[in-house]
Amino acid sequence: MTAIQVQDLRKTFKVQKNREGLKGAFADLFKREYTEVTAVKDISFSIPEGEICGYIGENGAGKSTTIKMLTGILVPTSGNLTVGGYVPYLEREKFVKNIGVVFGQRSQLWWDIGVIESFQLLRKVYRVSEQDFKKRLDELVERLQLQELLNRPVRKLSLGQRMRCELVAALLHNPSIVFLDEPTIGLDIVVKSEIREFLKDMNREHGTTILLTTHDLQDIEALCSRVIMLDDGRIIYDGGLEDLKQRWGTGREVQFQFGNATKRQQLELWTEGMSVTWSAENDLGASVWIPLELNVSDVLGRVVGKADITDIKIIETNTDDIVRSIYQSGSADKPEKQAAALKDEREALHV
Amino acid sequence: MSDKLNAATAMSSSSGGSSSGGPPENSRRLLFGAYLDFIRIRFLTMLAYRINYYSGILIYSLNIGVNYFTWMAIYGNGDSLGGFTATQMTSYVAVSWMARAFYFNNLDREISTDIRDGSIAIQFIRPYNYVLVKMMQGFGEGMFRFLLFMIPGMAIAMLLFPVQLPTAPSAWAGFLVMLFFSFLINSQINIITGLSAFFVENNEGMMRMKRVIVDLFSGLIVPISLFPDWLSSILKVLPFQAITYLPGSVFTGRVQGVGIWNVLGIQIVWFLALLIPIVWLYHAARQRLFVQGG
């Protein structure tokens, strides 16, 4: 079953234009000029139930706007969307009972009251019965270790503590679809990985569908089987993370450990004619950068027979680099030449 | 379409999780409980910060004092002005300011802040009516103001100035009902002003203008019967008089008998009439809302 279905979704904002100078300001008084900004440009995708999908893109790419349309906050300019069987903006109050939302940058707890009081209030807002609430709260509190935080006022929590409470607040009514807008922003590594683990478990145990936006690609790597990448309001990539890495990796690095001293000059001699770059820390360790056009096995073949190798490590380009270069080029399509080279390599791998 | 969702809800409840379902009466009762909680929480929050408001009692007493002495100077030896005797005017000033101590709130500012800093997004992901929640919070604040502002302030005013108030319990009960409508109408005007932030980038000017207009046209500063005829006839078809002037006139004994019911009727009519722009603004706003700050 499909949890989220989006078809040609578009959102256009009217933005007030401020004309320059005193004359302009005066003219603005009488006749406002507006510019239309299209934040989301006819995007389509669908997310099946139980999937964790990453939604990434640069600042201003339209991620948050999409999330806000999916959660019923914004009304789309055109296009169709259904989430959990509802059209979010049409039946907002009924619809939101079934979803959970965390905005990393905004708190949904009440600043002045205790954490547990906030939860109790949300229980009533979401019409959760006392037994269900108790059961769910116990489960969440134990899982996220909030026991000693429950009686503190929200304003006295640290960011990490608050974010765990935010998660509980968004999940108390056991929603089947959860939207997370930058849930790990500003958190330390320990809290980040706790939250990732928690989300993974929740997805596995309850089959919760999760759509997550983030700038931290480790979130994506840890959680998502699928990423949707957005640039300037358009989807530029929709597919598996592994595919993305394969298609976009610019090359690989191979690290060698040698049993006896092997000079860099020697290594360069062995791989003469290949466009690889060697670097060596010392005589017993070296690494080589192999562009995608070349097969790793060819390079290895030249070295393995000749040197006394104790260890080999192949390092793929990390996702950060890949995503950065996609953002910079504004397209996830590979240039022709590189695509051809990629094909060669795939064939080689099958051999 | 909703079958799918029902299935999902059924699934989650059968798999041992909680569900937001339950019998509809029960769920309505829970939501009602939530709205009451908004009153209670705002009341308790205000109570926690009560020190900040003690100065308010002094300010309101001062306002009454300033107005009292001004009016006494104006009256001089004359005994009636716009149908008010000097004694009636004293009572009117005291009652009006004390009513304001209760009905005044900053819902306009709260709403426009929510809209301008984008936290309105959080309000829209919850299964409740944002305007109703604001109204409840306003009432929580009103309860606080009533108990810790209005009553002590009234006591001080009665000690300091020759204020004559009715002694009949029915007059007091009537006054409380009218005071409640004053609160509703004033809050509705605040909500309308606040929601305007959806449509103009900066509604600071509107909020200030509203404040002056309400204070002036509600008859708080000058009773409406003292305005020039053309203005007072305009004000009679505006909602502001229903906030201060009409209830104040009843409580100080200037309006009696059938007139009292007229006043209450006018308040109810305005309360209902003002619901229309609120509902309209709320729906129009949903269409053109854009959330600031990404």
Side-chain angles (χ1 to χ4, degrees):
Chain A
M1 267 205 290
T2 325
I4 302 173
Q5 177 84 47
V6 174
Q7 190 73 47
D8 298 324
L9 192 66
R10 171 183 279 261
K11 181 72 191 178
T12 307
F13 294 118
K14 245 185 179 179
V15 179
Q16 230 169 58
K17 203 155 69 178
N18 291 320
R19 275 168 281 189
E20 265 178 49
L22 192 62
K23 224 175 121 192
F26 203 65
D28 278 344
L29 273 180
F30 296 100
K31 197 172 182 302
R32 273 274 175 209
E33 283 189 357
Y34 293 93
T35 33
E36 295 229 314
V37 178
T38 309
V40 174
K41 299 171 180 164
D42 306 322
I43 60 168
S44 306
F45 61 87
S46 79
I47 296 172
E49 258 176 30
E51 188 168 72
I52 307 187
C53 182
Y55 200 63
I56 58 175
E58 284 176 288
N59 289 326
K63 301 183 303 285
S64 291
T65 306
T66 318
I67 294 265
K68 278 166 190 149
M69 285 191 278
L70 293 176
T71 48
I73 297 167
L74 293 179
V75 179
T77 310
S78 67
N80 298 314
L81 75 164
T82 38
V83 179
Y86 279 103
V87 179
Y89 60 95
L90 287 184
E91 296 176 275
R92 188 186 65 80
E93 282 192 35
K94 270 194 212 163
F95 160 72
V96 294
K97 273 202 260 178
N98 195 44
I99 60 163
V101 188
V102 174
F103 290 112
Q105 316 228 47
R106 302 188 195 288
S107 179
Q108 58 175 319
L109 302 162
W110 286 270
W111 199 245
D112 286 311
I113 59 179
V115 175
I116 188 73
E117 263 189 291
S118 275
F119 292 164
Q120 276 288 356
L121 184 51
L122 284 170
R123 173 183 89 79
K124 291 180 195 162
V125 168
Y126 283 97
R127 289 83 130 173
V128 180
S129 73
E130 189 73 57
Q131 310 94 285
D132 285 346
F133 169 76
K134 230 183 127 4
K135 201 168 142 199
R136 183 87 175 133
L137 185 66
D138 286 347
E139 189 185 313
L140 289 168
V141 163
E142 196 183 335
R143 182 64 185 75
L144 287 165
Q145 295 167 14
L146 302 176
Q147 292 86 348
E148 71 277 28
L149 303 181
L150 285 179
N151 290 312
R152 271 194 232 171
V154 174
R155 60 170 183 274
K156 293 205 172 136
L157 299 180
S158 73
L159 185 61
Q161 292 169 333
R162 210 200 74 206
M163 197 50 75
R164 289 182 316 191
C165 293
E166 298 277 350
L167 273 174
V168 176
L171 300 172
L172 273 174
H173 54 294
N174 201 15
S176 62
I177 303 171
V178 175
F179 297 90
L180 305 166
D181 194 2
E182 303 185 28
T184 56
I185 195 162
L187 300 178
D188 68 49
I189 285 181
V190 180
V191 181
K192 268 186 189 177
S193 59
E194 263 176 31
I195 286 182
R196 286 177 197 144
E197 279 308 307
F198 169 74
L199 292 173
K200 243 197 282 192
D201 288 352
M202 181 179 72
N203 170 261
R204 202 173 39 229
E205 285 161 26
H206 296 273
T208 315
T209 311
I210 302 176
L211 185 69
L212 156 106
T213 78
T214 182
H215 288 294
D216 186 341
L217 292 163
Q218 284 176 341
D219 287 347
I220 303 280
E221 291 197 44
L223 291 170
C224 306
S225 45
R226 173 175 167 199
V227 277
I228 295 175
M229 196 185 284
L230 210 63
D231 185 64
D232 192 26
R234 292 192 179 84
I235 292 179
I236 55 170
Y237 180 81
D238 181 353
L241 190 63
E242 280 308 308
D243 281 350
L244 186 73
K245 276 203 227 173
Q246 283 211 348
R247 277 170 63 181
W248 260 88
T250 50
R252 288 128 302 175
E253 189 186 347
V254 180
Q255 289 178 348
F256 293 96
Q257 295 286 322
F258 301 113
N260 49 34
T262 312
K263 289 251 183 288
R264 186 174 148 191
Q265 290 87 338
Q266 180 62 51
L267 292 162
E268 278 166 354
L269 203 66
W270 285 337
T271 55
E272 207 163 5
M274 295 177 142
S275 55
V276 297
T277 325
W278 284 96
S279 54
E281 293 152 40
N282 51 52
D283 285 351
L284 291 175
S287 61
V288 62
W289 172 255
I290 308 171
L292 270 183
E293 296 89 57
L294 287 177
N295 295 331
V296 177
S297 53
D298 288 350
V299 180
L300 286 180
R302 299 241 189 140
V303 183
V304 169
K306 294 168 183 140
D308 171 23
I309 297 170
T310 56
D311 190 23
I312 299 181
K313 205 190 273 173
I314 303 179
I315 299 164
E316 294 268 351
T317 324
N318 69 28
T319 326
D320 283 292
D321 293 336
I322 295 176
V323 169
R324 191 186 313 123
S325 53
I326 296 179
Y327 285 171
Q328 272 161 6
S329 72
S331 159
D333 296 325
K334 289 291 283 186
E336 283 292 304
K337 198 177 130 226
Q338 276 174 303
L342 190 77
K343 214 174 125 222
D344 286 347
E345 190 207 25
R346 280 215 181 121
E347 278 163 10
L349 283 173
H350 287 299
V351 173
Chain B
M1 238 190 291
S2 59
D3 292 355
K4 204 186 270 181
L5 182 78
N6 289 340
T9 318
M11 217 169 64
S12 61
S13 46
S14 63
S15 69
S18 72
S19 83
S20 47
E25 323 87 68
N26 194 26
S27 110
R28 212 167 299 138
R29 196 176 46 86
L30 279 168
L31 184 63
F32 184 68
Y35 284 126
L36 289 184
D37 268 5
F38 283 110
I39 301 179
R40 185 177 60 87
I41 289 170
R42 176 60 70 94
F43 181 82
L44 292 176
T45 311
M46 301 280 296
L47 205 59
Y49 292 108
R50 62 185 169 277
I51 311 282
N52 298 356
Y53 297 93
Y54 282 151
S55 59
I57 299 176
L58 189 71
I59 290 168
Y60 273 92
S61 308
L62 259 170
N63 270 318
I64 293 173
V66 168
N67 278 278
Y68 167 76
F69 291 118
T70 311
W71 282 114
M72 287 310 108
I74 294 170
Y75 271 93
N77 297 322
D79 46 351
S80 178
L81 213 59
F84 279 88
T85 63
T87 336
Q88 276 177 336
M89 185 60 89
T90 309
S91 308
Y92 178 85
V93 166
V95 166
S96 306
W97 279 95
M98 281 303 123
R100 187 185 192 270
F102 162 65
Y103 68 65
F104 183 88
N105 57 45
N106 285 314
L107 288 185
D108 50 347
R109 202 158 292 275
E110 290 174 26
I111 293 173
S112 83
T113 309
D114 273 357
I115 294 169
R116 281 161 61 186
D117 74 9
S119 40
I120 192 86
I122 292 289
Q123 303 297 326
F124 279 158
I125 57 164
R126 298 210 176 110
Y128 58 46
N129 184 304
Y130 172 64
V131 171
L132 209 50
V133 168
K134 277 287 147 204
M135 200 64 165
M136 294 298 159
Q137 290 178 333
F139 190 61
E141 179 169 343
M143 295 296 288
F144 167 83
R145 291 174 150 271
F146 183 78
L147 294 173
L148 281 103
F149 242 38
M150 184 177 155
I151 291 179
M154 199 91 149
I156 293 174
M158 287 179 79
L159 282 178
L160 295 180
F161 311 108
V163 181
Q164 280 183 2
L165 294 177
T167 44
S170 61
W172 282 91
F175 181 62
L176 284 182
V177 172
M178 286 180 191
L179 201 56
F180 182 64
F181 275 99
S182 299
F183 160 80
L184 288 177
I185 293 168
N186 180 57
S187 301
Q188 285 177 311
I189 291 171
N190 282 348
I191 286 169
I192 292 169
T193 317
L195 287 177
S196 72
F198 277 123
F199 301 89
V200 289
E201 237 168 61
N202 190 339
N203 70 339
E204 183 64 41
M206 281 188 72
M207 289 191 292
R208 291 192 185 179
M209 199 167 72
K210 183 233 70 188
R211 192 163 167 169
V212 173
I213 286 179
V214 168
D215 281 352
L216 192 62
F217 290 175
S218 70
L220 173 73
I221 297 175
V222 181
I224 288 177
S225 60
L226 295 183
F227 281 112
D229 286 344
W230 62 272
L231 185 55
S232 61
S233 55
I234 294 174
L235 292 181
K236 286 204 172 98
V237 294
L238 292 177
F240 309 110
Q241 55 159 351
I243 299 174
T244 310
Y245 179 65
L246 294 181
S249 298
V250 171
F251 199 54
T252 49
R254 289 187 63 252
V255 175
Q256 284 167 340
V258 151
I260 296 175
W261 293 103
N262 283 343
V263 167
L264 194 60
I266 292 172
Q267 283 193 315
I268 292 172
V269 167
W270 273 116
F271 166 69
L272 295 174
L274 287 173
L275 290 176
I276 298 165
I278 292 178
V279 170
W280 179 80
L281 272 174
Y282 189 61
H283 283 275
R286 299 264 303 126
Q287 294 296 323
R288 52 165 296 151
L289 161 69
F290 82 90
V291 176
Q292 322 265 5

